[in-house]
Short mmCIF file of all heavy atoms in Angstrom, two decimals:
data_model
loop_
_atom_site.label_atom_id
_atom_site.label_comp_id
_atom_site.label_asym_id
_atom_site.label_seq_id
_atom_site.Cartn_x
_atom_site.Cartn_y
_atom_site.Cartn_z
N LEU A 228 -134.04 -4.00 -3.73
CA LEU A 228 -133.36 -3.60 -2.56
C LEU A 228 -134.06 -4.18 -1.29
O LEU A 228 -133.42 -4.55 -0.32
CB LEU A 228 -133.33 -2.11 -2.43
CG LEU A 228 -132.51 -1.41 -3.47
CD1 LEU A 228 -132.63 0.13 -3.37
CD2 LEU A 228 -131.05 -1.76 -3.36
N GLY A 229 -135.40 -4.42 -1.36
CA GLY A 229 -136.08 -5.02 -0.31
C GLY A 229 -135.69 -6.49 -0.11
O GLY A 229 -135.54 -7.00 0.99
N ALA A 230 -135.48 -7.15 -1.31
CA ALA A 230 -134.95 -8.52 -1.24
C ALA A 230 -133.52 -8.60 -0.62
O ALA A 230 -133.27 -9.61 0.17
CB ALA A 230 -134.94 -9.15 -2.67
N GLY A 231 -132.76 -7.64 -0.89
CA GLY A 231 -131.38 -7.59 -0.15
C GLY A 231 -131.55 -7.44 1.29
O GLY A 231 -130.79 -8.02 2.17
N VAL A 232 -132.51 -6.61 1.67
CA VAL A 232 -132.69 -6.46 3.19
C VAL A 232 -133.11 -7.74 3.82
O VAL A 232 -132.71 -8.08 4.98
CB VAL A 232 -133.75 -5.32 3.39
CG1 VAL A 232 -134.11 -5.20 4.91
CG2 VAL A 232 -133.17 -3.96 2.99
N LEU A 233 -134.01 -8.47 3.12
CA LEU A 233 -134.40 -9.83 3.61
C LEU A 233 -133.29 -10.81 3.74
O LEU A 233 -133.15 -11.65 4.69
CB LEU A 233 -135.56 -10.30 2.79
CG LEU A 233 -136.93 -9.63 2.82
CD1 LEU A 233 -137.92 -10.25 1.86
CD2 LEU A 233 -137.45 -9.63 4.26
N MET A 234 -132.31 -10.76 2.82
CA MET A 234 -131.25 -11.64 2.79
C MET A 234 -130.33 -11.34 3.96
O MET A 234 -129.65 -12.14 4.55
CB MET A 234 -130.44 -11.56 1.48
CG MET A 234 -131.27 -12.03 0.33
SD MET A 234 -130.38 -11.94 -1.31
CE MET A 234 -128.94 -12.85 -0.92
N LEU A 235 -130.28 -9.98 4.33
CA LEU A 235 -129.36 -9.72 5.40
C LEU A 235 -130.08 -9.59 6.79
O LEU A 235 -129.44 -9.29 7.79
CB LEU A 235 -128.87 -8.17 5.09
CG LEU A 235 -127.87 -8.13 4.00
CD1 LEU A 235 -127.54 -6.61 3.74
CD2 LEU A 235 -126.68 -8.95 4.15
N SER A 236 -131.37 -10.05 6.83
CA SER A 236 -132.08 -10.01 8.14
C SER A 236 -131.44 -10.89 9.18
O SER A 236 -131.52 -10.49 10.39
CB SER A 236 -133.49 -10.41 7.88
OG SER A 236 -133.60 -11.69 7.28
N PRO A 237 -130.93 -12.10 8.88
CA PRO A 237 -130.23 -12.85 9.95
C PRO A 237 -129.08 -12.15 10.59
O PRO A 237 -128.93 -12.10 11.83
CB PRO A 237 -129.82 -14.12 9.37
CG PRO A 237 -130.70 -14.33 8.16
CD PRO A 237 -130.98 -12.89 7.69
N GLY A 238 -128.28 -11.41 9.76
CA GLY A 238 -127.19 -10.60 10.26
C GLY A 238 -127.62 -9.39 11.03
O GLY A 238 -127.02 -9.04 12.04
N LEU A 239 -128.76 -8.88 10.69
CA LEU A 239 -129.29 -7.72 11.38
C LEU A 239 -129.77 -8.16 12.85
O LEU A 239 -129.61 -7.38 13.84
CB LEU A 239 -130.56 -7.17 10.65
CG LEU A 239 -130.26 -6.49 9.31
CD1 LEU A 239 -131.56 -6.01 8.72
CD2 LEU A 239 -129.25 -5.35 9.59
N VAL A 240 -130.25 -9.39 12.98
CA VAL A 240 -130.66 -9.86 14.29
C VAL A 240 -129.43 -10.03 15.17
O VAL A 240 -129.40 -9.67 16.44
CB VAL A 240 -131.42 -11.17 14.19
CG1 VAL A 240 -131.74 -11.74 15.59
CG2 VAL A 240 -132.68 -10.96 13.38
N ARG A 241 -128.27 -10.44 14.69
CA ARG A 241 -127.10 -10.67 15.51
C ARG A 241 -126.36 -9.37 15.85
O ARG A 241 -125.52 -9.28 16.71
CB ARG A 241 -126.17 -11.54 14.75
CG ARG A 241 -126.57 -12.98 14.52
CD ARG A 241 -125.45 -13.89 14.22
NE ARG A 241 -124.76 -13.53 12.93
CZ ARG A 241 -125.05 -13.99 11.84
NH1 ARG A 241 -126.06 -14.90 11.65
NH2 ARG A 241 -124.56 -13.57 10.73
N LEU A 242 -126.77 -8.28 15.16
CA LEU A 242 -126.02 -7.01 15.42
C LEU A 242 -126.34 -6.51 16.87
O LEU A 242 -125.57 -5.72 17.45
CB LEU A 242 -126.34 -5.97 14.40
CG LEU A 242 -125.86 -6.11 13.04
CD1 LEU A 242 -126.26 -5.01 12.12
CD2 LEU A 242 -124.33 -6.16 13.11
N GLY A 243 -127.46 -6.98 17.42
CA GLY A 243 -127.86 -6.51 18.73
C GLY A 243 -127.26 -7.30 19.92
O GLY A 243 -127.37 -6.91 21.04
N ASP A 244 -126.52 -8.39 19.53
CA ASP A 244 -125.96 -9.17 20.58
C ASP A 244 -124.56 -8.58 21.01
O ASP A 244 -123.62 -8.59 20.21
CB ASP A 244 -125.77 -10.65 20.06
CG ASP A 244 -125.50 -11.56 21.21
OD1 ASP A 244 -125.21 -11.12 22.31
OD2 ASP A 244 -125.48 -12.78 20.82
N LEU A 245 -124.41 -8.09 22.16
CA LEU A 245 -123.20 -7.45 22.73
C LEU A 245 -122.08 -8.44 22.96
O LEU A 245 -120.98 -8.15 22.79
CB LEU A 245 -123.46 -6.60 23.95
CG LEU A 245 -124.43 -5.52 23.77
CD1 LEU A 245 -124.64 -4.74 25.09
CD2 LEU A 245 -124.00 -4.46 22.68
N THR A 246 -122.39 -9.68 23.32
CA THR A 246 -121.43 -10.69 23.52
C THR A 246 -120.72 -11.03 22.32
O THR A 246 -119.46 -11.29 22.36
CB THR A 246 -122.09 -11.95 24.19
OG1 THR A 246 -123.10 -12.44 23.25
CG2 THR A 246 -122.74 -11.58 25.46
N LEU A 247 -121.44 -11.14 21.19
CA LEU A 247 -120.72 -11.39 19.93
C LEU A 247 -119.78 -10.26 19.54
O LEU A 247 -118.73 -10.53 18.97
CB LEU A 247 -121.72 -11.66 18.84
CG LEU A 247 -122.62 -12.94 18.95
CD1 LEU A 247 -123.69 -13.01 17.84
CD2 LEU A 247 -121.70 -14.15 18.92
N TRP A 248 -120.14 -9.01 19.83
CA TRP A 248 -119.25 -7.90 19.56
C TRP A 248 -118.01 -8.05 20.52
O TRP A 248 -116.91 -7.69 19.95
CB TRP A 248 -119.97 -6.65 19.91
CG TRP A 248 -120.90 -6.12 18.84
CD1 TRP A 248 -122.28 -6.24 18.87
CD2 TRP A 248 -120.53 -5.52 17.61
NE1 TRP A 248 -122.75 -5.75 17.66
CE2 TRP A 248 -121.72 -5.25 16.90
CE3 TRP A 248 -119.26 -5.16 17.04
CZ2 TRP A 248 -121.69 -4.72 15.62
CZ3 TRP A 248 -119.40 -4.57 15.77
CH2 TRP A 248 -120.52 -4.31 15.09
N ARG A 249 -118.07 -8.52 21.70
CA ARG A 249 -116.96 -8.60 22.56
C ARG A 249 -116.05 -9.90 22.12
O ARG A 249 -114.79 -9.81 22.07
CB ARG A 249 -117.34 -8.75 24.01
CG ARG A 249 -117.82 -7.61 24.73
CD ARG A 249 -117.84 -7.71 26.15
NE ARG A 249 -118.76 -8.79 26.48
CZ ARG A 249 -120.07 -8.66 26.83
NH1 ARG A 249 -120.60 -7.42 26.88
NH2 ARG A 249 -120.73 -9.70 27.17
N ASP A 250 -116.71 -10.99 21.67
CA ASP A 250 -115.92 -12.18 21.26
C ASP A 250 -115.39 -12.10 19.89
O ASP A 250 -114.11 -12.34 19.71
CB ASP A 250 -116.82 -13.39 21.39
CG ASP A 250 -117.33 -13.62 22.85
OD1 ASP A 250 -116.69 -13.07 23.79
OD2 ASP A 250 -118.34 -14.28 22.99
N SER A 251 -116.13 -11.74 18.96
CA SER A 251 -115.69 -11.66 17.53
C SER A 251 -116.24 -10.37 16.87
O SER A 251 -117.24 -10.42 16.16
CB SER A 251 -116.21 -12.85 16.77
OG SER A 251 -117.58 -13.02 16.79
N PRO A 252 -115.54 -9.22 17.13
CA PRO A 252 -116.05 -8.04 16.47
C PRO A 252 -115.95 -8.12 14.92
O PRO A 252 -116.59 -7.39 14.22
CB PRO A 252 -115.15 -6.93 17.13
CG PRO A 252 -113.95 -7.59 17.60
CD PRO A 252 -114.37 -9.04 18.00
N ALA A 253 -114.89 -8.76 14.46
CA ALA A 253 -114.63 -8.77 12.99
C ALA A 253 -115.89 -9.43 12.30
O ALA A 253 -116.31 -8.99 11.19
CB ALA A 253 -113.39 -9.46 12.67
N VAL A 254 -116.36 -10.58 12.90
CA VAL A 254 -117.57 -11.19 12.29
C VAL A 254 -118.78 -10.30 12.34
O VAL A 254 -119.56 -10.35 11.45
CB VAL A 254 -117.76 -12.51 13.14
CG1 VAL A 254 -119.03 -13.18 12.54
CG2 VAL A 254 -116.58 -13.40 12.97
N GLN A 255 -118.91 -9.59 13.37
CA GLN A 255 -120.04 -8.64 13.58
C GLN A 255 -119.99 -7.45 12.64
O GLN A 255 -120.97 -6.89 12.22
CB GLN A 255 -120.23 -8.12 14.93
CG GLN A 255 -120.73 -9.20 15.92
CD GLN A 255 -122.08 -9.67 15.65
OE1 GLN A 255 -122.27 -10.70 14.97
NE2 GLN A 255 -123.07 -9.01 16.17
N ALA A 256 -118.74 -7.12 12.27
CA ALA A 256 -118.52 -5.93 11.35
C ALA A 256 -119.00 -6.24 9.95
O ALA A 256 -119.38 -5.29 9.22
CB ALA A 256 -117.04 -5.53 11.43
N GLU A 257 -118.91 -7.48 9.45
CA GLU A 257 -119.37 -7.86 8.15
C GLU A 257 -120.75 -7.47 7.83
O GLU A 257 -121.09 -6.86 6.87
CB GLU A 257 -118.98 -9.28 7.93
CG GLU A 257 -117.47 -9.58 7.84
CD GLU A 257 -117.18 -10.98 7.56
OE1 GLU A 257 -118.14 -11.75 7.34
OE2 GLU A 257 -116.01 -11.39 7.48
N PRO A 258 -121.75 -8.05 8.63
CA PRO A 258 -123.16 -7.63 8.35
C PRO A 258 -123.47 -6.19 8.51
O PRO A 258 -124.27 -5.65 7.82
CB PRO A 258 -123.96 -8.52 9.38
CG PRO A 258 -123.04 -8.83 10.43
CD PRO A 258 -121.68 -9.00 9.79
#
């Protein structure tokens, strides 16, 4: 499970970007 968290770490970084949530919320919803 820790390896899975490492694989999702790039998506976790993008979750804090509010501009991406306004531009493409569907893309942000996947991670």
Side-chain angles (χ1 to χ4, degrees):
L228 295 174
V232 172
L233 291 177
M234 292 175 62
L235 294 176
S236 57
L239 294 176
V240 174
R241 292 197 301 268
L242 288 178
D244 194 352
L245 298 179
T246 58
L247 293 177
W248 280 103
R249 288 195 299 266
D250 296 340
S251 55
V254 176
Q255 290 293 96
E257 293 180 0

